[in-house]
Amino acid sequence: MRKIFFAFLFLCCGGAHAAALIQDTEIESVLMEIIAPITSAANIASANVRIVNDDDFNAFIMGGEDIYINTGLLTRLRTPNALRAVVAHELGHTIGGHMAQMSARMESEMRRSMMIQALGIGLMLAGGNSSLGAGVMAGASGIARQSMLAFSRDEERIADDMGFDLMVRSEYNPNGFIDVFEQMNDMTFPIESKINPNSVNHPLTSERLKNVRDKISHLGNKEFKSDDVAITKKYDMVRAKLVGYLDSDSRIKTLYPTSDKSDAAIYARAIANMRWGNLAGAAVGTRTLIARNPKNPYFYELLGDLEYRYGHYDDAIAAYERAIELRPNSPQVETALSLVLVERDGDNDNARAINLCKRVILTDESPMAYWVLARAYGADDGRSDWSMAEYYRMQNNQKKSREYARRAKSRLKSGTPEYIKSDDILKSAD
């Protein structure tokens, strides 16, 4: 049975925010174009966007300069400038060193909590009021929690202020914050209106909305850049792509009814039709998009995915090659092309797939590239075992990664690059 290839490549993301990451050349390039003015204003040229397959309306950082953005946020934020505001807030955390400060504060609160608990134990052991000692112990964790919540709320306020300043510095309208907070307020007001503002780790959305409106009122008549038609259309296409691949039938029909003849709507419906097995409907939509936009590489990528599902390997390869011609250095498209080459298995197809996968791994490492590379090498080649070891390494499956690394070392000549890399996997797991 043929394997089905999606335009997205999914990776495993470890840590506190464990979720699936999506790698997609179109989405990543558009988002980076949108946020470039903010990263430039923040003097963080190396920041990258990581797309998290999570329906929550959220974005976060994890201590480095990368910004993690949930698909739930992307599909709901209506404008590129609203996305800039979100990223500006997250970079405010980065500039402020908030992750490091939070870690240090947690350590400090833990020490303080332990000291208070020790005092409670001392009171009990000294023969004093045992209920008082127990109360002191019980209250220690509550004191630490309230202190951390207050600290977190302060950092969120600081990140809002820094993000606002980044928007102004980048010359994009800080009204993007109002767009975000108004959407958040619509979602959270029924809950926030009933809770104690000191019991949550963020300021209430109503407070954040008021603060940003006050700051905007002090800007006077300052003029800002607006999103042009081209970047707005690109962002609309990104949202449509995500909705088409990830959302339910009912939501897709609500957001992109058949009466909507825009490129974004046709894109979402074509992807959804392919996903549901309606290949004929997907093909009509895809060819309509190509006729309207003959130089858009991502529509040829979608055509390649469709032709592959039909089992038309030659046509799929031609479509992927056209996509790469229009948009060189497209790792996900190159991986898709490699997979079809391996499955077609014609003269020199495997050799070409190996070269493509190696290039992808050097530029934008992904589990799928290693998986296709293993197939291209073939089961009789020890390099296939090394490729699978790397595949499972990226999936955070240490047991399987070590198993394949051991097999690779037993079959490969000592000193070869794949032997050394397999040995590195085994050593890193010790």
Side-chain angles (χ1 to χ4, degrees), residues 259-305:
S259 58
D260 188 343
K261 305 301 182 184
S262 66
D263 285 354
I266 294 173
Y267 200 25
R269 293 196 299 265
I271 291 169
N273 279 326
M274 181 181 69
R275 182 176 140 209
W276 298 326
N278 179 6
L279 301 187
V284 170
T286 302
R287 294 190 183 281
T288 299
L289 290 170
I290 290 174
R292 290 184 181 182
N293 308 270
K295 293 190 177 180
N296 186 312
Y298 307 111
F299 298 154
Y300 289 97
E301 177 188 15
L302 180 58
L303 179 62
D305 293 347

Side-chain angles (χ1 to χ4, degrees), residues 58-341:
N58 193 29
F60 56 91
I61 58 170
M62 295 179 67
E65 295 178 345
D66 289 350
I67 306 114
Y68 294 80
I69 304 176
N70 284 4
T71 54
L73 183 115
L74 290 171
T75 57
R76 290 175 176 82
L77 283 183
R78 303 182 188 98
T79 66
N81 207 44
L83 177 63
R84 285 192 199 94
V86 170
V87 169
H89 169 89
E90 296 305 327
L91 291 183
H93 283 303
T94 299
I95 294 169
H98 290 173
M99 293 298 289
Q101 291 175 25
M102 180 66 75
S103 178
R105 184 60 177 259
M106 288 178 69
E107 184 178 347
S108 173
E109 290 299 333
M110 186 178 295
R111 286 198 302 268
R112 184 164 72 136
S113 178
M114 290 174 66
M115 290 174 64
I116 295 172
Q117 288 182 7
L119 173 61
I121 293 172
L123 286 171
M124 295 174 71
L125 293 178
N129 188 328
S130 61
S131 61
L132 176 60
V136 170
M137 291 175 63
S141 59
I143 293 170
R145 180 175 180 275
Q146 287 303 313
S147 177
M148 287 303 301
L149 288 174
F151 182 73
S152 177
R153 288 192 299 273
D154 286 343
E155 289 202 330
E156 292 300 326
R157 294 183 182 102
I158 292 169
D160 281 348
D161 289 344
M162 286 184 165
F164 187 96
D165 292 342
L166 286 176
M167 290 288 282
V168 173
R169 205 181 308 163
S170 72
E171 299 182 354
Y172 276 89
N173 201 321
N175 270 327
F177 276 100
I178 291 181
D179 294 339
V180 176
F181 290 152
E182 284 184 340
Q183 279 191 260
M184 289 173 60
N185 202 46
D186 289 342
M187 291 184 285
T188 63
F189 180 75
I191 299 172
E192 289 191 350
S193 63
K194 300 175 183 178
I195 64 174
N196 181 345
N198 295 322
S199 66
V200 291
N201 62 359
H202 279 60
L204 296 185
T205 306
S206 56
E207 176 195 327
R208 301 172 79 180
L209 189 53
K210 180 182 181 301
N211 288 344
V212 76
R213 282 176 171 154
D214 288 345
K215 289 175 75 68
I216 288 173
S217 69
H218 290 95
L219 292 175
N221 297 320
K222 184 176 176 61
E223 293 186 359
F224 293 99
K225 299 175 186 175
S226 299
D227 289 318
D228 59 28
V229 173
I231 196 64
T232 299
K233 181 174 181 177
K234 288 180 183 179
Y235 183 63
D236 289 344
M237 299 303 285
V238 161
R239 295 177 68 212
K241 188 174 196 175
L242 287 167
V243 169
Y245 271 111
L246 300 175
D247 273 332
S248 65
D249 180 15
S250 60
R251 184 157 190 259
I252 292 168
K253 288 178 178 177
T254 298
L255 292 175
Y256 302 105
T258 54
S259 58
D260 188 343
K261 305 301 182 184
S262 66
D263 285 354
I266 294 173
Y267 200 25
R269 293 196 299 265
I271 291 169
N273 279 326
M274 181 181 69
R275 182 176 140 209
W276 298 326
N278 179 6
L279 301 187
V284 170
T286 302
R287 294 190 183 281
T288 299
L289 290 170
I290 290 174
R292 290 184 181 182
N293 308 270
K295 293 190 177 180
N296 186 312
Y298 307 111
F299 298 154
Y300 289 97
E301 177 188 15
L302 180 58
L303 179 62
D305 293 347
L306 267 171
E307 296 292 1
Y308 175 54
R309 290 204 175 202
Y310 271 119
H312 302 159
Y313 292 160
D314 293 348
D315 292 335
I317 288 169
Y320 287 138
E321 287 175 336
R322 178 59 175 154
I324 294 168
E325 178 185 341
L326 290 167
R327 211 285 188 182
N329 302 317
S330 299
Q332 284 75 55
V333 185
E334 291 172 359
T335 305
L337 173 57
S338 302
L339 175 61
V340 183
L341 287 168

